[in-house]
Structure formats: structure tokens, C-alpha cells
Amino acid sequence: MSLLREANEWLAQDPDPDTRAELSELIEREDLAAVQDRFGAKLEFGTAGLRGELGAGPNRMNRVTVMRAAAGLAKVLGPGKHVIIGYDARHKSDVFARDTAAVLTGTGLHASLLPGPLPTPVLAFAVRHLGADAGVAVTASHNPPRDNGYKVYWGDGSQIVPPLDAEISAAIDAVGRVDELPLNGPGTLTELGEGIVDDYIDAVTSLPLGEDRDLRVAYTPLHGVGAAVLTGAFLAAGFESPIAVEEQRDPDPDFPTVSFPNPEEPGAMDLATALAAKLDADLVLANDPDADRCAVGVPLPGGGVRMLTGDEVGGLLAEHVITHTTGDRMVSTTIVSSTLLGKIARAHGIRYGETLTGFKWIIKAGPGLVFGYEEAIGYSVGSDAGLPVRDKDGIGAALTVAGIAATAKRDGRTLLDLLDDQARRYGLHATSQLSFRVADLSQIAAAMSGLRADPPATLGGLAVERADDLTKGDGGLPPTDGLRYRLSGDARVVVRPSGTEPKLKCYLEVVVPVTGTPAEARSRAEEQLDALRADLAARLAL
């Protein structure tokens, strides 16, 4: 009865006819299980903001949830502050963005709304470029079609970190009924023009792209918002316009041609691969739906496309940026990404930072940061002027990869040849993941406890030389739930629960010296990775 009472109270303040109809039907049917699912818990605001399925109730993304989040953010910022609001093309994103503006201006803040659905990196750029105090991106990135999200940036153009997330969360919890919130003034709302997109394109085309531009690119935005801005950036930089997969070129919140709108998912790149063959393309590029990530593929002479891992692209981008910048500078990545970046940095005599997972930490690794990346195909590329975007940026990364590929093409080579060069210099660093999805989160806790109570002496036939329990903090990092094993032969395994899904994730890396050909080293590396995967699967028994 208390849940039904709460549902009726929600119904009375909900401004959205769609979710009112949904909830009214559930109440009328007395579908208590569905009401429990929506009202028995709530979406928690954290460093990644909010993300969840669309629908009625506090455990869903909807206009009430968004207005409460905006009111909490307004309380923390205070009157007179300036917030930039951006949004993607998902269901309700434009509505959530305007609701945010209405609440912020009603509380005496000033809001600026980006001119239509745009990539998240444009929002991150705009916050710092326009000197705003904060930014809001309405996006669920590469989540399924039924989801949406709400991400907050601070005045430095990067995502919020603790304890600011907890402060905003507490302010959200203190918000009363949204139908009693003041809306639309006394603060001002500014609708930004296309000039902010032009400024962003100017910034990313000023990156070190090299001089070569002869390149044919097959591209997919996966039904997201990347195509127009990426095309504009390529043309402004002097490249030919990338040829987009027609079926996936225009924004579509239902993502009809893919089962999951993530370029890393099996099948997501099939249409782009087919287009590359038809065009005889030199390079395949993809953005996820909000264009903050970039996938890279190289067409093979015998047909097909070799998709590069995030670590492989990270290594190529890093060495390119380092050799095109000067002075005291730094590169950074996370504890679950390849150790290759640290070796590249040492070889070039520059500083290297290693952080917890998430771009919010990468960006704060230290002063002089010119490049950061995470293995999940997220990159921030800079120059001597610094980083134009203090978050992952799939457009700037795509441009820079195209510049690298064009120079390689001039020399009769591809990105795969450049990877072989790095393998000869630093050893072949091969990475892989092993994930276990569970129905009961207690299984993950039990697996982690088991590893702590009975730490392995070997993994995949390699001796465990050091084990780090990351809950105790390590190397100056904040404590986090994870275990890191350093193995003989410079191999490494990190085991950690996912922060967004009911999964236990294992990040594997082996390093194989290239004594013959890189292909032979890759074959040996894959054998070692297979052994690690089999051993971990047996030990965890999930």
C-alpha cells in the first residue's frame, strides 16, 4: 500500500503524459511487481551522473527524475552561475535538456542550450570554452535504446569526482515535489548558435594531424549524433569527406540495425566492414552514439577488416602526440589499460600517470597532460596548447588516427605496420578481457573474497610475483574494489567488479618479445592469453 501511495504521489506531480499513462495503467491493473520495480529503489547519482531505463518512478529516467537532478545541481552551484546543457538524439533527450534549463533558470542560474543534438565532447569543450561553471550532458552513450542518462561536468570541462557527486546527490534527495519548483526565470536562457560547433571544430583541427590527407574512410556513427560534426571536422582539416554507412548515418533513437549500439559489440561493425570493401577504403572509423568514443579498423588485402583494440589505438595515438609536442608533458591511462603507455613515455623521457578507471580520473592525472586514454576505446588527444576536450573525444581521436593513417599510406604502409614497429621497440603487448555476468551480485562479492582468502600462486602457468589489493590503495590511488596480479614475463591481470553492470571483469595482458616476426609473437601471446582465460574461468567458477 505504501508503494501505491508513493506511486500516486508521483503521478500527481509528473508533467509527462507518457509516463503518467504508463503508471496509471500499472496502478489500475494493480501490477505490484511492476510498481515495486519502479518505486522499490531509485537511480543513484554518482560521478557518472544518472543512467537507467526510461519509464515512471524514481528507479527510471523520466522528467521528474531529471527535474530533481537539475534542482539538486542548482542548489550546489547557487544563483548566478552559468550551466551549458547538451543532449543527444535518444528518446526524451531534448525534453530532459529543456526541463533542466527551466529548473536552473527558475532557481536564478543562467543556462545555455547547445543548438540541437550534438556529440558529448562538444558539450565538454563548450563548458571551458565559454567559461561556464558547469555542464549537463543528457545522454546514455552506447546503452540500449530504452535507456537515457544525465552526466554533469564542472567548470574545468571534466566530469565530476568525489566528494562533489555525494554533495549533489544529497541536494537531489532534499528536493520536494517538482510541480512546486520555480521554472523559467529569473535566470536567463540562451540558445547557442552553430558558432559553438565551429569553435569546437577549429579546436580539434588544430591538433597535430600531420601533413598528409590522401585517405578514403568508411565511417559509421551507429545511428548517433556524430556524422555531421565528424564530417565537418574532416573537411575543415582538408580530408575527403568520410563515406558513412547510409543505414546508420542519421540519428535514430531505436538503433534499428544493431542489437547493441556499441562499436565493440559483435555485429555492430558489419555494415561498416561491408562498406569498406565496397569502397576499397583505407580506414574504417566508428563513433558510439554520443561520439565520445572511437573504434578503428584496417581493411586487409585479402578481405575483411582487422579491428584494433583500444590499447592498440592508444599506443599509436600516444606516440604520435608525444613526437608532435614539446616540453614538460604527461600522458596517462588507467590501471586496467595496457602497460605499453608507460614504456612509451619512459622511452621518450616524459611523465606518465596511472589512474583508476574512468576519464574523470585520467584527466586529473597531473599538469601538462597532452594525451589520455582508456582501453574501452576512449581517447583525449592534445597538442602543445593542451587538451581541447577534457574528456574522451571520439571526433578528435578519429581525426588524429586519420592523420596517422594518411602518413602511413604515403609510405606504402598501414596502421598494422605501425603496430609491428611498436612491438619490435617495446615488445608485443597483447590485452584481452574476460567478463562474467551474474544474476546475483553476491556471487561477485564471493568471488572477490575467495581470491583474497586464497590468492593464486600461478595464473595461466605464469608465476604471480606480486598481488595488490586495491581496496587498500596502491601507488597513491584512491581505494577501489579490485585485485591486481603482476606475473612473470611482465604479464598482468586485474580483477574488479563492473561499476555499471552486474559483471565481474578480468583485464589480461601479456608481453612477448619479438625475436622473429610480430605475427609469431602475436601467436605466442594469444596462447598465453588463452591459458590465462581458462585458468581464471576455472578459479572463479562463475
Side-chain angles (χ1 to χ4, degrees):
M1 291 303 295
S2 62
L3 278 177
L4 287 174
R5 190 180 311 112
E6 186 180 348
N8 278 298
E9 289 174 358
W10 184 281
L11 194 62
Q13 62 178 307
D14 188 353
D16 191 329
D18 295 334
T19 45
R20 284 204 311 271
E22 171 198 333
L23 188 54
S24 295
E25 182 182 349
L26 294 177
I27 294 172
E28 185 176 341
R29 291 204 320 254
E30 296 186 353
D31 190 341
L32 297 183
V35 174
Q36 170 73 29
D37 187 42
R38 288 159 175 78
F39 287 86
K42 69 181 179 70
L43 297 179
E44 295 291 345
F45 185 93
T47 53
L50 298 164
R51 191 174 294 187
E53 186 177 349
L54 290 164
N59 202 31
R60 296 287 190 273
M61 284 296 299
N62 50 65
R63 294 182 67 183
V64 176
T65 297
V66 164
M67 292 171 76
R68 287 172 56 83
L73 176 62
K75 177 68 174 177
V76 171
L77 283 167
K81 297 298 176 66
H82 180 201
V83 181
I84 314 287
I85 305 165
Y87 57 99
D88 64 12
R90 284 178 175 267
H91 292 294
K92 302 282 185 181
S93 285
D94 57 340
V95 177
F96 293 165
R98 291 202 171 271
D99 281 341
T100 298
V103 171
L104 293 177
T105 57
T107 317
L109 284 80
H110 304 294
S112 294
L113 194 63
L114 290 185
L118 286 167
T120 296
V122 176
L123 179 277
F125 166 81
V127 170
R128 201 160 48 127
H129 184 65
L130 297 178
D133 298 289
V136 170
V138 180
T139 177
S141 190
H142 52 275
N143 273 40
R146 64 181 181 272
D147 289 358
N148 213 324
Y150 197 86
K151 188 158 57 172
V152 174
Y153 293 78
W154 221 236
D156 63 352
S158 66
Q159 296 179 51
I160 60 170
V161 296
L164 191 53
D165 61 324
E167 185 180 353
I168 296 172
S169 180
I172 292 170
D173 289 343
V175 174
R177 293 174 61 101
V178 299
D179 57 350
E180 296 175 357
L181 292 172
L183 303 177
N184 299 314
T188 58
L189 171 61
T190 301
E191 308 246 3
L192 296 172
E194 292 294 328
I196 189 62
V197 180
D198 295 339
D199 290 346
Y200 166 80
I201 289 176
D202 287 345
V204 294
T205 53
S206 298
L207 292 169
L209 306 179
E211 302 299 324
D212 299 286
R213 296 292 183 268
D214 179 18
L215 196 73
R216 182 174 298 164
V217 176
Y219 168 70
T220 176
L222 288 180
H223 301 292
V225 296
V229 178
L230 181 133
T231 300
F234 267 67
L235 292 174
F239 289 99
E240 289 182 15
S241 176
I243 308 301
V245 173
E246 186 173 354
E247 302 95 320
Q248 299 173 333
R249 180 184 56 209
D250 297 327
D252 187 329
D254 293 319
F255 309 110
T257 67
V258 292
S259 57
F260 201 78
N262 179 348
E264 294 184 291
E265 288 291 320
M269 295 298 296
D270 287 355
L271 291 178
T273 297
L275 178 63
K278 179 180 178 181
L279 297 174
D280 192 22
D282 304 305
L283 187 68
V284 180
L285 295 172
N287 289 129
D288 65 339
D290 71 329
D292 65 349
R293 303 196 305 153
C294 174
V296 179
V298 178
L300 300 172
V305 171
R306 156 85 145 84
M307 296 303 299
L308 274 58
T309 69
D311 286 316
E312 288 175 328
V313 176
L316 293 178
L317 284 171
E319 198 137 37
H320 176 82
V321 171
I322 290 169
T323 56
H324 287 80
T325 53
T326 59
D328 181 22
R329 58 212 190 279
M330 182 182 198
V331 294
S332 68
T333 190
T334 73
I335 58 172
V336 302
S337 299
S338 174
T339 57
L340 173 62
L341 183 60
K343 295 169 186 173
I344 293 173
R346 285 192 293 275
H348 289 274
I350 71 166
R351 289 178 292 115
Y352 166 71
E354 195 170 274
T355 74
L356 297 182
T357 56
F359 244 85
K360 58 184 176 286
W361 299 115
I362 292 171
I363 291 299
K364 292 177 169 57
L369 190 66
V370 293
F371 176 73
Y373 94 94
E374 60 185 359
E375 94 296 337
I377 63 172
Y379 319 94
S380 183
V381 179
S383 65
D384 281 333
L387 298 171
V389 177
R390 289 177 57 80
D391 194 21
K392 52 186 177 290
D393 176 9
I395 308 291
L399 266 180
T400 310
V401 167
I404 298 170
T407 299
K409 180 183 177 183
R410 180 201 65 194
D411 299 331
R413 312 179 83 213
T414 72
L415 297 181
L416 301 182
D417 297 303
L418 303 187
L419 289 175
D420 286 349
D421 291 345
Q422 286 193 329
R424 294 185 184 97
R425 282 196 296 273
Y426 307 111
L428 191 139
H429 291 63
T431 57
S432 182
Q433 277 193 41
L434 185 63
S435 294
F436 301 93
R437 183 179 290 273
V438 300
D440 182 355
L441 289 176
S442 67
Q443 294 176 269
I444 292 177
M448 295 296 289
S449 296
L451 287 173
R452 290 186 171 102
D454 184 19
T458 63
L459 284 171
L462 301 173
V464 176
E465 297 181 342
R466 176 178 166 181
D468 298 320
D469 187 342
L470 301 179
T471 58
K472 301 173 181 176
D474 180 71
L477 297 176
T480 188
D481 188 10
L483 294 164
R484 177 169 56 189
Y485 302 101
R486 299 189 188 277
L487 313 179
S488 58
D490 215 13
R492 185 214 62 195
V493 170
V494 178
V495 183
R496 61 180 283 271
S498 169
T500 57
E501 299 177 277
K503 284 183 178 181
L504 184 66
K505 290 188 171 184
C506 306
Y507 302 83
L508 321 177
E509 179 178 38
V510 297
V511 182
V512 177
V514 179
T515 55
T517 67
E520 291 168 344
R522 284 193 177 85
S523 178
R524 294 197 302 275
E526 194 54 46
E527 290 174 1
Q528 292 185 17
L529 289 172
D530 285 343
L532 284 173
R533 282 189 284 260
D535 197 348
L536 281 164
R539 287 175 184 273
L540 294 169
L542 289 173

